[in-house]
């Protein structure tokens, strides 16, 4: 019945048959704004809805009593209650009216606006600064509600308002064009205000950067605080900087108020030179502490409590800060004159605004913009004061700076001497690693991607020399080598200067552990040119030392910019990797190759995050079905592990599985896979799909003492038939420890679980060993399958392998079936099972279930789950 009452009420209301309860207003056609007469209803429970209010209005005995607003602007102060407001608009003119309702208080948390027109359902708009800014009907900080009315038309508005701060609704009605002209002028005034404070902030901040005087920093930050407060209260920052983060907007309002008080107090203390000896010092410290606590409280207490606490703190604090000026002015402090005038204006403006927020005084231009007016005047006055102070201090600073320059010159000379020691090797006096890195970085910035190489030379026999001759003699040898190397490379075209000064030029750098570095231009030097051979040949010559000929056995590692790195640490690290490479050990010269790098950051990240991925279920499983060649139906599936890393994207199992095996993480990883596979298989069984599940395990799992017990217990708890579980192990993995692997597999097989030998035909296992395995299935590796239709030798191998394995009692699975010709060849050979992308690619669980449902995989032939098909064609 409520909908009937509501419809009757709407019809009668807009046809004038009954007395309209909402306040009636004529629309605004002329320029300027018009206040709206309205009624309000307090909803302490917060549960009233528009339907309930309309039903109540339509009843003969309404239970809710609407009150007519006495003041021109609704101002309910700080309240947690929800308020409803309503008003009625009539266009009695002969023209169409384009109107805008403006609510010029953007600090309302929740504002639901309902527009009711005769014969139409209510139109709702959810606004408020707890909603994303994109929900505003007009892109403006104030809440704007545009609408249009034909001649003689009527419309009613219901507003539901709830906020944790001061609940005000300064609401006015505008003619559309007049409003946007007026709001443009107001925005210009605000822009001027923002511009003034921004310029003052920038000037004083750069003065601080130049002079390093905290007074200018505190003043700049306090000015920025006023700017943030005003722009946040007007929701300008919400509109411009974080429109999609309402919580950040509200938090900026809360934090900016006590922060501004904090920096204002710090500025007062520094500007007026209030020291610990002054009686004013301790009260100022108390304000600083309270302001800091208020900042911290914004993250803990409620919005309403926080804003009240901040306003309560600001009023007495600003009064005290203002009083500091006259007190010190009376004592003859020159700066206190400007301070007293500036803070008097600011305090008056702040007091008016605070009183307005508490609902003590009504809204007006002065009360609404009191802080803006006061802060702008205060900023201008104090800027003049700081400029005057800066002028007075200029002469003293010039004298002090002259003295500072003299001291700086002496200190600089000492630093240069110290820098020379820091940037050079203590034994060879060649540039050290830090200097070498600077030279590389300079090249990376100046060469515009032109290639060059970083070459490290390590003396492999130096440790032997050091232990034989002692440290002192070894240092002499190292010094001679460094001098010799620098002489050699400076005569070679393309070698770059590492360090150059008026006294010397160095082409080589000296590292720790008897290593040296040079940089050469690839185009001039050449990667495989005679230059490198010349340097290598001269370095390989033994050196004479105290009648002894010492073999140095140098090894060279080379990394190239930009292919192997774009910064000095990376290039040097990669050159070290090249030193250790097998190529360097054999030919004495190694070039960096990424596949040889065992120390890359990606591997370290995978190593550290794999455990977390297991613990947080960040891994996923895909499932690739296996089909019977003879019957053409789906008989099982293989679980394939996937890891979609948040930074690296999809990481292949062949990258993170070896890491898991090396670190012991393979144990929890395999158990995670088994548990999830059993859960999936349980769900499939309950859905009527009697199929098998193949799970890949590692040879490391077979060395776990409790692995068999874990598998047995997991299957028992799942209630699944053990023969529907297949554990797959690669042929090569078993041969790492064949005796132990055989014992473990026999124990697993004793539980009823089936064993499958994966990648058969790629390893080096003996057939005598294979026939002892308690396996029921052999999977021929895809490398033998992919060209079976075009290479007769591959077909002969696969056919012989299939017949041999079938005669030994194994079922043969061919993986990697990519086309129809391959499938046809496997059918002719007599292969038992097949799997591959031609039939069905690996699918996530939801798509697999959808495919099973569509194709009834347990009974009939599979359908076509993908563009490449999924059934076994009868023609094959």
């Amino acid at each position: 019945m409520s909908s009937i009452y509501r419809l009757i009420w709407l019809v009668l209301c807009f046809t004038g048959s009954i007395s309209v309860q909402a306040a009636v207003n004529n629309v605004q056609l002329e320029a300027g704004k018009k206040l709206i007469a309205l009624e309000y209803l307090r909803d302490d429970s917060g549960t009233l809805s528009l339907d309930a209010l309309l039903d109540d209005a339509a009843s003969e005995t309404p239970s809710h009593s609407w009150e007519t607003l006495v003041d021109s602007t609704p101002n309910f102060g700080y309240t947690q209650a929800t308020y409803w407001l309503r008003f009625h608009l009539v266009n009695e003119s002969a023209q169409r009216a384009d109107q805008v309702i403006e609510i010029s208080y953007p600090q309302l948390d929740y504002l639901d606006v309902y527009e009711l027109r005769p014969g139409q359902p209510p139109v709702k708009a959810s606004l408020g600064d707890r909603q994303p800014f994109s929900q505003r009907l007009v892109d403006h900080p104030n809440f704007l509600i545009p609408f249009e009315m034909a001649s003689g038309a009527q419309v009613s508005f219901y507003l539901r308002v709830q906020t944790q701060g001061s609940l005000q609704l300064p609401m006015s009605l505008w003619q559309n064009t007049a409003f946007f002209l007026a709001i443009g002028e107001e925005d210009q005034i605000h822009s001027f205000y923002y511009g003034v404070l921004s310029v003052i902030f920038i000037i004083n901040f750069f003065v601080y950067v130049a002079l390093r005087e905290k007074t200018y920093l505190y003043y700049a930050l306090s000015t920025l605080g006023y700017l943030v407060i005003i722009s946040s209260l007007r929701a300008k920052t919400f509109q411009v900087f974080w429109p999609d983060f309402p919580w950040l907007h509200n938090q900026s309002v809360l934090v900016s108020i006590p922060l501004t008080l904090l920096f204002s107090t710090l500025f007062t203390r520094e500007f007026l030179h209030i020291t610990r000896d002054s009686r004013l010092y301790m009260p100022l410290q108390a304000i600083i502490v309270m302001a800091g606590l208020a900042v911290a409280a914004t993250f803990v207490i409620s919005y309403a409590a926080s804003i009240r606490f901040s306003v309560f703190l600001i009023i007495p604090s600003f009064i005290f800060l203002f009083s500091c000026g006259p007190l010190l002015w009376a004592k003859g402090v020159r700066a206190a004159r400007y301070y007293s005038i500036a803070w008097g204006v600011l305090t008056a403006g702040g007091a008016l605004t605070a009183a307005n927020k508490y609902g003590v005084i009504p809204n007006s231009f002065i009360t609404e913009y009191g802080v803006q007016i006061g802060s702008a005047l205060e900023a201008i006055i104090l800027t003049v004061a700081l400029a005057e102070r800066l002028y007075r201090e200029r002469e003293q600073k010039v004298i002090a700076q002259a003295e500072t320059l003299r001291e700086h010159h002496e200190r600089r000379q000492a630093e240069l001497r110290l820098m020379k020691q820091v940037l050079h090797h203590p034994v060879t006096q060649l540039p050290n690693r830090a200097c070498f890195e600077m030279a590389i970085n300079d090249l990376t910035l100046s060469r515009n991607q032109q290639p060059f190489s970083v070459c490290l030379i390590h003396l492999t026999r130096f440790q032997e020399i050091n232990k034989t001759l002692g440290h002192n003699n070894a240092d002499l040898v190292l010094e001679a080598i460094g001098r010799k190397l620098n002489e050699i490379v400076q005569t070679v075209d393309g070698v770059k200067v590492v360090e150059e000064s008026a006294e010397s030029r160095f082409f080589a750098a000296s590292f720790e552990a008897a290593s040296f570095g040079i940089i050469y231009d690839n185009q001039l030097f050449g990667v495989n040119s005679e230059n490198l051979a010349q340097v290598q040949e001269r370095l390989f010559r033994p050196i004479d030392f105290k009648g002894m000929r010492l073999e140095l056995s140098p090894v060279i590692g080379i990394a190239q910019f930009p292919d192997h790195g774009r910064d000095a640490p990376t290039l040097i690290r990669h050159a070290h990797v090249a030193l250790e490479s097998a190529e360097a050990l054999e030919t004495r010269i190694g070039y960096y190759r990424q596949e040889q790098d065992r120390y890359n950051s990606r591997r370290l990240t995978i190593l550290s995050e794999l455990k977390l991925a297991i613990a947080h279920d960040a891994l996923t499983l895909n499932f690739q079905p296996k089909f019977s060649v003879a019957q053409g139906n789906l008989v099982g599936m293989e679980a394939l592990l996937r890891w979609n890393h948040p930074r690296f994207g999809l990481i292949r199992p062949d990258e993170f599985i070896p890491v898991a095996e090396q670190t012991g993480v393979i144990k929890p990883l395999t158990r995670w896979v088994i548990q999830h596979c059993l859960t999936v298989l349980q769900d499939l069984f309950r859905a009527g799909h009697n199929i098998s599940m193949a799970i890949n395990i590692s040879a490391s799992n077979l060395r776990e003492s409790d692995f068999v017990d874990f598998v047995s217990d997991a299957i028992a708890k799942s209630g699944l038939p053990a023969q529907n579980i297949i554990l797959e192990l690669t042929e090569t993995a078993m041969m790492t420890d064949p005796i132990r692997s055989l014992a473990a597999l026999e124990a697993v097989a004793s539980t009823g679980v089936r064993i499958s030998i994966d990648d058969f035909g790629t390893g080096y296992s003996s057939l005598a060993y294979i026939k002892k395995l308690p396996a029921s299935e052999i999977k021929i590796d895809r490398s033998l399958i992919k060209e079976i239709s075009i290479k007769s030798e591959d077909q002969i191998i696969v056919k012989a392998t299939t017949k041999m394995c079938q005669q030994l009692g194994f079922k043969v699975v061919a993986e990697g079936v990519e086309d129809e010709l391959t499938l046809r060849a496997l059918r002719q050979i007599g292969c038992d099972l097949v799997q591959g992308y031609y039939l069905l690619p690996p699918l996530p669980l939801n798509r697999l279930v959808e495919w099973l449902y569509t194709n009834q995989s347990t009974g009939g032939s599979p359908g076509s789950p993908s563009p490449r098909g999924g059934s076994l064609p009868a023609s094959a």
Side-chain angles (χ1 to χ4, degrees):
M1 293 296 292
S2 61
S3 59
I4 297 175
Y5 284 136
R6 186 159 61 253
L7 180 60
I8 294 173
W9 184 87
L10 284 171
V11 173
L12 294 179
C13 175
F14 287 107
T15 57
S17 299
I18 64 171
S19 176
V20 177
Q21 297 301 316
V24 179
N25 300 265
N26 289 326
V27 296
Q28 183 84 346
L29 293 179
E30 65 279 2
K33 68 178 179 179
K34 174 181 178 181
L35 297 179
I36 301 176
L38 47 79
E39 295 177 313
Y40 69 90
L41 175 66
R42 180 184 175 101
D43 177 14
D44 290 312
S45 66
T47 59
L48 287 177
S49 64
L50 177 65
D51 290 345
L53 292 176
L54 294 181
D55 291 343
D56 183 68
S59 65
E60 296 180 357
T61 58
S63 59
H64 298 296
S65 177
W66 291 79
E67 298 184 36
T68 303
L69 184 68
V70 177
D71 297 330
S72 58
T73 299
N75 190 339
F76 303 105
Y78 286 91
T79 176
Q80 297 294 319
T82 300
Y83 277 82
W84 284 85
L85 299 97
R86 69 181 183 182
F87 55 91
H88 183 61
L89 297 176
V90 178
N91 184 9
E92 297 180 348
S93 69
Q95 307 175 33
R96 191 188 76 169
D98 293 328
Q99 303 289 297
V100 175
I101 298 173
E102 178 192 20
I103 302 175
S104 56
Y105 182 66
Q107 299 301 314
L108 300 173
D109 289 349
Y110 301 99
L111 173 63
D112 294 335
V113 180
Y114 298 90
E115 180 182 339
L116 289 79
R117 293 179 183 262
Q120 300 179 18
V123 177
K124 178 183 177 182
S126 296
L127 311 175
D129 65 1
R130 299 282 179 171
Q131 307 287 349
F133 200 87
S134 58
Q135 294 190 199
R136 301 288 177 95
L137 301 177
V138 178
D139 186 18
H140 192 272
N142 291 341
F143 300 114
L144 305 179
I145 308 166
F147 65 98
E148 59 182 40
M149 297 178 64
S151 175
Q154 306 176 52
V155 61
S156 290
F157 286 93
Y158 276 70
L159 280 70
R160 183 182 184 275
V161 190
Q162 193 274 330
T163 189
Q164 296 189 53
S166 176
L167 201 159
Q168 305 180 40
L169 277 96
M171 188 185 313
S172 53
L173 180 66
W174 291 78
Q175 192 273 336
N176 192 308
T177 304
F179 167 76
F180 286 104
L181 290 174
I183 205 67
E185 295 176 357
E186 182 180 353
D187 286 343
Q188 289 180 356
I189 296 173
H190 286 294
S191 298
F192 175 77
Y193 170 79
Y194 298 148
V196 169
L197 262 64
S198 298
V199 170
I200 291 174
F201 163 74
I202 293 172
I203 291 174
N204 284 276
F205 180 77
F206 280 105
V207 170
Y208 161 73
V209 172
L211 303 181
R212 285 295 188 268
E213 289 193 17
K214 292 185 290 185
T215 305
Y216 297 95
L217 175 63
Y218 295 148
Y219 181 59
L221 292 177
S222 63
T223 303
L224 179 63
Y226 297 129
L227 180 61
V228 173
I229 289 175
I230 299 304
S231 57
S232 297
L233 290 176
R234 290 198 70 248
K236 196 65 179 178
T237 55
F238 188 21
Q239 178 189 17
V240 175
F241 296 110
W242 36 76
D244 297 324
F245 302 97
W247 66 269
L248 187 56
H249 164 62
N250 286 277
Q251 192 64 31
S252 68
V253 174
L254 295 179
V255 172
S256 60
I257 297 174
L259 271 180
T260 303
L261 175 61
L262 173 65
F263 291 121
S264 298
T265 308
L266 290 170
F267 167 74
T268 299
R269 190 182 67 184
E270 296 296 325
F271 182 73
L272 299 178
H273 299 291
I274 299 175
T275 62
R276 293 180 181 272
D277 300 332
S278 174
R279 293 181 179 180
L280 300 176
Y281 185 82
M282 291 308 297
L284 289 177
Q285 288 298 104
I287 294 175
I288 292 171
V289 172
M290 292 295 292
L293 292 175
V295 172
T298 62
F299 297 95
V300 179
I301 62 179
S302 67
Y303 182 95
S306 177
I307 200 70
R308 289 191 184 191
F309 177 67
S310 295
V311 174
F312 174 78
L313 177 63
I314 280 179
I315 294 176
S317 298
F318 270 47
I319 293 174
F320 178 78
L321 293 177
F322 165 70
S323 66
C324 291
L327 289 174
L328 295 176
W329 190 356
K331 293 182 179 182
V333 178
R334 184 183 180 90
R337 295 178 300 174
Y338 294 100
Y339 179 89
S340 300
I341 298 172
W343 278 86
V345 175
L346 176 62
T347 303
L352 288 173
T353 300
N356 173 256
K357 299 306 176 187
Y358 269 104
V360 177
I361 56 178
N363 278 348
S364 68
F365 179 83
I366 295 178
T367 59
E368 184 173 356
Y369 301 108
V371 172
Q372 289 175 277
I373 298 171
S375 61
L377 293 175
E378 180 258 4
I380 295 172
I381 294 170
L382 287 180
T383 300
V384 173
L386 287 171
E388 191 265 348
R389 173 184 174 176
L390 186 62
Y391 177 78
R392 284 189 297 105
E393 294 177 351
R394 181 183 178 190
E395 290 183 352
Q396 291 84 352
K397 286 186 178 294
V398 169
I399 296 173
Q401 286 175 356
E403 181 65 21
T404 301
L405 287 174
R406 185 186 62 79
E407 295 177 355
H408 178 73
H409 177 72
E410 295 178 354
R411 185 168 59 251
R412 179 62 178 168
Q413 294 300 316
E415 288 176 352
L416 289 174
R417 291 191 295 269
L418 180 61
M419 187 178 298
K420 185 176 181 180
Q421 297 176 3
V422 170
L423 295 177
H424 290 79
H425 193 278
V427 175
T428 65
Q429 297 305 311
L430 292 175
N432 61 10
R433 180 191 181 100
C435 189
F436 192 64
E437 288 187 356
M438 288 191 293
I440 295 174
N441 287 329
D442 289 342
L443 281 174
T444 60
L445 295 175
S446 63
R447 289 182 63 84
N448 192 25
Q449 304 300 314
Q450 294 181 12
F452 65 87
S453 293
V454 173
C455 176
L456 296 187
I457 304 167
H458 177 64
L459 309 180
T460 59
R461 296 197 61 196
F462 185 76
Q463 286 298 324
E464 179 183 350
I465 295 172
N466 191 13
K467 294 176 181 178
T468 304
L469 302 181
H471 292 295
N472 292 335
N473 287 323
D475 286 347
L476 294 175
V477 172
L478 191 62
E479 182 181 2
I481 295 170
R483 187 166 52 250
K484 177 183 177 182
L485 175 63
N486 195 56
E487 293 173 356
I488 292 173
V489 297
Q490 68 181 322
T491 62
V492 179
D493 292 337
V495 176
K496 311 297 290 184
V497 176
V498 176
E499 184 192 52
E500 184 173 13
S501 64
E503 298 83 13
S504 58
R505 299 175 74 196
F506 295 106
F507 292 82
S510 183
F511 292 10
E512 65 284 350
S515 295
F516 298 88
I518 63 172
I519 309 169
Y520 62 80
D521 188 311
N522 288 2
Q523 294 179 346
L524 297 177
F525 191 91
V527 176
N528 296 311
S529 68
E530 296 179 358
N531 289 328
L532 186 58
Q534 177 187 353
V535 173
Q536 184 185 16
E537 188 272 333
R538 294 182 65 181
L539 284 176
F540 270 76
R541 297 174 186 173
I543 66 168
D544 294 324
F545 180 77
K546 293 184 179 182
M548 297 177 286
R549 291 181 62 81
L550 303 179
E551 292 283 351
L552 302 176
S553 299
V555 177
I556 300 175
I558 299 172
Q560 299 179 18
F561 170 87
D563 297 339
H564 300 154
R566 296 178 176 271
D567 57 80
T570 302
L571 288 168
I572 293 175
R573 189 183 75 81
H574 288 169
H576 273 295
V577 172
L579 279 175
E580 299 178 3
S581 69
E583 182 180 0
L585 295 177
E586 293 174 3
T587 67
R588 315 306 289 179
I589 298 179
Y591 295 92
Y592 175 76
R593 291 200 296 270
Q594 186 175 8
E595 60 270 18
Q596 296 174 340
D597 191 352
R598 299 176 297 165
Y599 311 107
N600 59 75
S601 58
R602 177 184 172 100
R603 183 179 183 276
L604 292 177
T605 302
I606 292 173
L607 180 65
S608 61
E609 296 184 4
L610 184 54
K611 286 185 179 180
L612 293 176
I614 298 171
H616 296 123
D617 280 341
L619 304 172
T620 57
L621 291 173
N622 282 3
F623 303 91
Q624 186 170 35
K626 294 191 294 187
F627 295 93
S628 170
V629 175
Q631 303 298 326
N633 64 318
L634 184 144
V635 296
M637 62 187 64
E638 179 182 1
L640 302 174
L641 187 58
R642 297 290 183 265
W643 184 10
N644 195 358
H645 193 276
R647 180 149 58 100
F648 299 136
L650 187 63
I651 303 178
R652 293 173 55 85
D654 56 7
E655 183 177 358
F656 67 83
I657 292 297
V659 174
E661 291 178 329
Q662 294 167 13
T663 59
V665 183
I666 192 65
K667 179 175 180 179
L669 178 62
T670 301
R671 300 189 181 204
W672 183 93
V673 173
I674 292 175
Q675 291 282 17
H676 282 69
C677 285
L678 292 178
T679 301
V680 170
L681 197 57
Q682 282 180 307
D683 295 339
L684 294 176
F685 262 65
R686 282 193 288 267
H689 305 294
N690 184 11
I691 54 181
S692 63
M693 175 76 74
I695 306 170
N696 291 280
I697 64 172
S698 167
S700 302
N701 298 127
L702 299 180
R703 294 192 289 271
E704 299 168 14
S705 59
D706 61 340
F707 179 71
V708 177
D709 293 336
F710 168 77
V711 172
S712 178
D713 292 343
I715 294 175
K717 290 178 182 178
S718 69
L720 295 168
Q723 64 269 19
N724 283 67
I725 311 298
I726 302 173
L727 297 184
E728 288 192 8
L729 190 68
T730 64
E731 175 189 3
T732 305
M734 288 185 300
M735 299 311 297
T736 57
D737 188 358
I739 298 177
R740 192 167 181 176
S741 298
L742 180 59
L745 289 176
E746 288 176 345
V748 171
S750 66
T751 65
V753 174
R754 290 188 284 164
I755 306 297
S756 176
I757 308 303
D758 198 4
D759 297 342
F760 186 78
T762 60
Y764 303 96
S765 57
S766 72
L767 295 176
Y769 177 78
I770 293 294
K771 73 177 184 179
K772 295 179 183 179
L773 293 176
S776 60
E777 183 178 280
I778 294 291
K779 296 185 72 173
I780 301 177
D781 186 69
R782 66 180 66 246
S783 63
L784 298 174
I785 299 297
K786 63 181 181 180
E787 295 183 338
I788 189 176
S789 61
I790 59 176
K791 288 188 177 181
S792 58
E793 57 269 29
D794 285 359
Q795 187 170 1
I796 292 172
I797 293 173
V798 172
K799 183 175 182 179
T801 303
T802 301
K803 298 305 179 184
M804 178 192 68
C805 292
Q806 288 174 341
Q807 289 175 2
L808 290 174
F810 300 119
K811 280 196 172 184
V812 178
V813 182
E815 56 182 348
V817 179
E818 304 293 340
D819 52 56
E820 183 180 348
L821 292 177
T822 302
L823 178 61
R824 184 179 299 160
L826 291 170
R827 175 168 286 174
Q828 291 174 352
I829 289 173
C831 186
D832 298 302
L833 305 173
V834 288
Q835 64 182 99
Y837 273 70
Y838 172 67
L839 307 173
L840 199 66
L843 300 175
L845 181 60
N846 58 337
R847 290 188 57 200
L848 174 68
V849 171
E850 179 184 350
W851 186 88
L852 287 171
Y853 177 78
T854 303
N855 295 274
Q856 297 179 352
S857 59
T858 57
S861 297
S864 181
S866 68
R868 289 196 271 185
S871 61
L872 295 185
S875 61

